[in-house]
Amino acid sequence: MFTTRPTLQGTFGMVSSTHWLASQSAMAVLEDGGNAYDAAVAGAFVLHVVEPHLNGPAGEVPILLAPAGGEVRVLCGQGVAPAGATIEHYRALGLDLVPGTGPLAAAVPGAFDAWMLLLRDHGTKSLADVLKYAIGYAEDGHACVENVGATVETVRELFETEWTTSADVYLPDGKSPRPGELFRNPALAATWQRLLAEVAGAGDREAQIEAAREVWRSGFIAEALVRQAGRPTMDTSGERHTGTLTAADLAAWSASYEAPATYDWNGWTLCKAGPWSQGPVLLQQLALLPPELPAYESADYVHLLIEGCKLAMADREAWYGDAEVVPLDDLLSAEYNAARRRLIDGKASHELRPGSPGGLAPRLCEHARVVAPAEPGFDPMGAGEPTVARLTADGGTRGDTCHLDVVDRWGNMIAATPSGGWLQSNPVVPELGFPLGTRLQMTWLEAGLPNSLAPGRRPRTTLTPSIALRGGVPVLAFGTPGGDQQDQWQLHFFLAVATRAKARGGLDLQGAIDAPNWHNDSFPGSFYPRGMRPGSVTVESRMDEGVVEELRRRGHDVTVGDAWSEGRLCAVARDPEAGILSAAANPRGMQGYAVGR
């Protein structure tokens, strides 16, 4: 099979991420004797610097980690809604949806604390060792990818008239970041330098990391974040609002570990974050598959995956969230999925059809029941996660979030999907050099739903990294940016790896990533303004024309996109018997890279 790049193979360590500077920084940590977790933390903080339109320190991150010889765990870096973030408060402001930008959409920031917890519990390096790469790129500069400047240009007027602290960083002398020119964020570099100075005398490695967590929760960083949340800020509602984040909210929250949701399929065990994420959507899609799959990438195959995705996404809408009880066991049961599978016939469904696990009656929010089709065009003031800020009439998606995978020579493995805190989400906090996040836009302002806005509850995130086991042993870590598309693209990738692609005696990760991909938008989007396109399918132009025509004959509303436009996957793998590590990265967008030796 022709691929854009080889699947890398080696024995020392492998990294794959959505930016080459993050990949190589993580690899430098491995070369310096660090493990996969040290490397991941270093790479993550570089991603904050080099992909500021896609993630930031005050965003969020779900992390799946598989320590050598240990069990897979989820490290939740998704913060909760502040104590003042009640439905009544937002309704009193005249809002029907949580705004897509501004401090009203800010949850308690989660990414920083999650990375600190990972470094403390599983890493070996000091905080200074892992932060030095990000500090260097922020202070001395880096050559920006084109999309940084392009994103800034879409919000130039907003920055110049309203979010002037963002203009100070991203429009110095009135110029947006340009490819081939060094871009610096001295305020961000100064933040991390001050943090290191304040914790230097705290004691040993673990004590310094704990001190850094306290600075974030209650020190100068917390104080600046709370001040920013209290500043009236123009948001997608067209009005200026203050947020609800307080010092008490920051002080009370910390990242936490939990068991993954899992599903066994054909000798594989897939591990995902729980239903506070959309992770179980991938598990449900696997559970819906028949014992025998149609020919790979045939019309029958693509139709089956699209229709299964619609059913899983309808269940996501009705059942997923940070509620006390989510009937996940029933949603993944053989009996339930056998009944759901019978709903898939030869025609494309244009309906939202949640099921009744355990005999429970599904409940959809009013917006999902009456949601209008997505509006044409792109409105930067409507920006949610950049990939799905606003679905366009041509099926296009713009931007991405981030992803990072690492496996080391000892067998430690990690998959993480950092996001939120984008430069276009909130004004830059002038004292810190980065903005607040906007993940609360994923909640509903209607009581009694699994994903209703409620103090202390996590918004249901789209972020969904994956780890897969064979025979109980972790062998594959993967994931992708892409909002609601993430577990659609990951399903096709995983099936290509698991059922079809073999190369050089190992998993053909690059071939699976490069294969033509697709997505559908037949369900309410997770980001403001929560639009949907019933019956839609967007495919890459590399898909076989006969398959496209057959999909249309079956009633799919097919949009043919660019040849390399669907999927942003990263992956690393480990063959425990052969002792071979491997990695691959997405060629789309020409900035994701895998490295290793």
Side-chain angles (χ1 to χ4, degrees):
M1 174 192 295
F2 168 79
T3 59
T4 57
R5 310 165 180 177
T7 295
L8 305 185
Q9 292 187 315
T11 58
F12 180 82
M14 291 283 164
V15 181
S16 180
S17 88
T18 49
H19 196 290
W20 62 85
L21 291 180
S23 294
Q24 191 53 54
S25 297
M27 192 68 202
V29 174
L30 293 180
E31 295 283 4
D32 194 41
N35 65 20
Y37 309 115
D38 298 310
V41 176
F45 278 85
V46 170
L47 286 173
H48 298 158
V49 179
V50 300
E51 294 190 321
H53 57 313
L54 310 178
N55 78 137
E60 46 276 327
V61 58
I63 300 169
L64 266 68
L65 59 149
E71 295 185 352
V72 176
R73 300 291 287 170
V74 176
L75 176 50
C76 174
Q78 174 57 64
V80 299
T86 64
I87 291 174
E88 294 75 20
H89 176 66
Y90 287 66
R91 290 286 189 179
L93 295 172
L95 298 171
D96 297 321
L97 294 173
V98 176
T101 59
L104 273 179
V108 177
F112 179 87
D113 196 62
W115 292 119
M116 290 301 99
L117 204 61
L118 178 71
L119 184 65
R120 185 198 72 183
D121 295 344
H122 298 278
T124 65
K125 292 291 188 179
S126 71
L127 185 57
D129 284 339
V130 297
L131 283 182
K132 65 183 180 182
Y133 305 93
I135 292 173
Y137 287 126
E139 183 172 37
D140 301 327
H142 65 283
C144 281
V145 295
E146 183 177 356
N147 279 343
V148 176
T151 301
V152 172
E153 285 299 322
T154 66
V155 287
R156 171 184 283 273
E157 182 179 355
L158 175 67
F159 281 13
E160 292 178 335
T161 60
E162 295 281 347
W163 296 8
T164 56
T165 58
S166 297
D168 292 340
V169 173
Y170 291 105
L171 290 168
D173 302 319
K175 296 195 305 181
S176 59
R178 299 179 183 181
E181 296 181 4
L182 287 179
F183 174 76
R184 297 174 174 86
N185 188 341
L188 178 57
T191 295
W192 299 144
Q193 288 165 335
R194 180 177 173 183
L195 175 70
L196 291 176
E198 290 198 7
V199 306
D204 62 11
R205 190 187 78 92
E206 289 81 4
Q208 289 187 15
I209 295 169
E210 276 302 295
R213 297 178 73 202
E214 287 306 308
V215 171
W216 181 274
R217 289 186 186 136
S218 58
F220 79 94
I221 294 177
E223 293 168 357
L225 292 173
V226 172
R227 278 195 299 272
Q228 184 63 46
R231 293 182 176 116
T233 300
M234 179 66 71
D235 60 35
T236 52
S237 71
E239 302 289 338
R240 296 180 184 88
H241 293 114
T242 57
T244 61
L245 184 69
T246 67
D249 295 318
L250 282 165
W253 186 84
S254 67
S256 58
Y257 295 98
E258 58 189 59
T262 63
Y263 185 75
D264 295 330
W265 184 82
N266 284 11
W268 293 80
T269 299
L270 270 291
C271 301
K272 302 289 282 186
W276 55 267
S277 75
Q278 73 169 339
V281 161
L282 179 59
L283 309 183
Q284 283 197 252
Q285 289 178 98
L286 288 171
L288 283 162
L289 295 176
E292 296 294 328
L293 293 178
Y296 178 75
E297 288 192 333
S298 65
D300 286 340
Y301 178 87
V302 178
H303 175 79
L304 174 68
L305 267 58
I306 292 169
E307 294 304 300
C309 174
K310 292 175 185 177
L311 294 175
M313 285 297 200
D315 278 345
R316 184 193 76 165
E317 195 55 55
W319 300 107
Y320 288 23
D322 197 20
E324 291 185 8
V325 178
V326 176
L328 191 56
D329 288 345
D330 289 317
L331 288 169
L332 295 175
S333 70
E335 180 182 16
Y336 177 78
N337 284 284
R340 296 283 278 166
R341 193 178 302 121
R342 289 192 287 272
L343 296 176
I344 301 174
D345 56 23
K347 295 295 184 182
S349 170
H350 289 235
E351 300 176 31
L352 193 65
R353 299 182 290 178
S356 300
L360 301 172
R363 182 182 174 192
L364 297 174
C365 71
E366 182 179 359
H367 184 88
R369 295 193 298 270
V370 301
V371 67
E375 301 174 31
F378 177 74
D379 174 9
M381 281 296 292
E385 189 161 65
T387 315
V388 287
R390 182 162 295 197
L391 303 172
T392 61
D394 64 0
T397 59
R398 292 171 168 81
D400 283 309
T401 184
C402 305
H403 189 79
L404 174 70
D405 300 310
V406 188
V407 60
D408 64 28
R409 63 189 185 275
W410 300 289
N412 299 302
M413 187 175 289
I414 184 170
T417 309
S419 189
W422 316 292
L423 66 85
Q424 66 274 32
S425 65
N426 257 303
V428 165
V429 184
E431 305 94 325
L432 303 178
F434 59 84
L436 287 163
T438 55
R439 194 60 57 170
L440 290 187
Q441 67 181 288
M442 312 189 79
T443 62
W444 295 116
L445 297 181
E446 181 179 339
L449 302 169
N451 195 31
S452 298
L453 178 67
R457 179 184 282 186
R458 292 170 289 189
R460 189 201 69 217
T461 180
T462 53
L463 308 173
T464 172
S466 303
I467 284 182
L469 289 66
R470 286 283 281 178
V473 178
V475 297
L476 179 64
F478 61 100
T480 178
D484 294 313
Q485 286 84 45
Q486 288 184 27
D487 279 321
Q488 302 185 55
W489 293 335
Q490 289 188 68
L491 176 68
H492 184 209
F493 164 80
F494 173 72
L495 291 177
V497 169
T499 66
R500 179 176 181 268
K502 293 280 185 180
R504 295 181 295 172
L507 301 174
D508 183 16
L509 304 182
Q510 195 65 52
I513 288 173
D514 287 356
N517 218 322
W518 62 84
H519 81 272
N520 85 91
D521 303 305
S522 298
F523 46 85
S526 294
F527 297 88
Y528 184 93
R530 316 298 297 265
M532 65 184 291
R533 297 169 59 234
S536 69
V537 180
T538 303
V539 306
E540 292 182 326
S541 61
R542 294 180 295 132
M543 182 175 283
D544 181 87
E545 291 183 5
V547 172
V548 172
E549 289 309 309
E550 176 60 19
L551 292 175
R552 286 176 171 150
R553 190 191 68 79
R554 297 185 185 197
H556 295 280
D557 180 10
V558 181
T559 296
V560 178
D562 293 339
W564 296 91
S565 56
E566 293 286 320
R568 306 286 188 272
L569 283 139
C570 299
V572 300
R574 174 176 176 263
D575 184 336
E577 294 183 1
I580 298 294
L581 309 178
S582 55
N586 166 55
R588 301 162 179 89
M590 296 187 292
Q591 68 185 67
Y593 272 86
V595 295
R597 70 170 178 88

